[in-house]
């Protein structure tokens, strides 16, 4: 099956499901969930609800790893830690980078 999302590397996902046709459905579900998560990230950033961003990033780590979104791996890992030592400016920059990269990938 041709990868409908050219920018997304699904090799980890294919390996996980051993080449089953479930891959396409799983990818679509992952993308839908990531779109919802990006919307939540934006709202939480706007409201400066940083604890919610931390929780959401922790939840998103697996999804972004499965589709090899390595460009934001460091940022999402940092934000997903409750004990991160980021100042507010760096926290906002990381959140904005995550939003931008995910939106660019899942257009």
């Amino acid at each position: 099956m041709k990868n409908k999302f050219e920018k997304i590397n699904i090799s980890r996902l294919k390996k996980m499901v051993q080449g089953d046709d479930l891959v396409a459905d799983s990818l679509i579900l992952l993308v839908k969930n990531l779109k919802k998560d990006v919307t939540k990230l934006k709202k939480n950033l706007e409201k400066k609800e940083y604890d919610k961003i931390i929780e959401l990033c922790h939840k998103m780590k697996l999804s972004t790893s499965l589709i090899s979104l390595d460009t934001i791996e460091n940022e999402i890992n940092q934000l997903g830690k409750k004990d991160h030592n980021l100042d507010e400016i760096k926290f906002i920059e990381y959140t904005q980078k995550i939003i931008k990269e995910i939106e660019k990938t899942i257009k």
Side-chain angles (χ1 to χ4, degrees):
M1 175 177 197
K2 186 176 178 192
N3 181 0
K4 292 180 182 179
F5 303 96
E6 298 287 329
K7 296 178 185 175
I8 297 176
N9 178 340
I10 60 170
S11 59
R12 290 181 195 162
L13 187 58
K14 279 185 178 179
K15 185 176 180 181
M16 185 179 93
V17 297
Q18 299 174 353
D20 195 314
D21 286 339
L22 182 61
V23 171
D25 293 338
S26 298
L27 181 59
I28 290 167
L29 182 61
L30 280 173
V31 170
K32 284 181 181 179
N33 286 338
L34 282 173
K35 284 182 179 183
K36 289 178 187 175
D37 291 342
V38 165
T39 300
K40 290 177 188 175
L41 280 176
K42 287 178 180 179
K43 288 179 183 177
N44 292 332
L45 187 58
E46 205 172 276
K47 296 178 182 178
K48 295 187 177 189
E49 293 179 337
Y50 301 138
D51 286 342
K52 289 183 180 181
I53 292 172
I54 292 168
E55 290 173 18
L56 191 56
C57 285
H58 181 73
K59 174 188 161 272
M60 293 169 62
K61 284 194 284 188
L62 179 60
S63 296
T64 55
S65 175
L66 284 173
I67 60 172
S68 303
L69 259 175
D70 300 332
T71 55
I72 58 169
E73 182 178 3
N74 180 53
E75 289 79 5
I76 206 159
N77 284 332
Q78 285 296 317
L79 292 181
K81 294 178 185 175
K82 290 189 186 264
D83 63 343
H84 67 79
N85 59 353
L86 300 171
D87 60 32
E88 186 174 9
I89 292 171
K90 199 58 141 173
F91 188 94
I92 291 168
E93 287 174 355
Y94 277 13
T95 304
Q96 290 171 333
K97 181 176 180 182
I98 289 168
I99 291 167
K100 181 181 174 186
E101 288 296 316
I102 292 174
E103 285 182 330
K104 182 173 73 173
T105 303
I106 62 175
K107 279 185 180 179

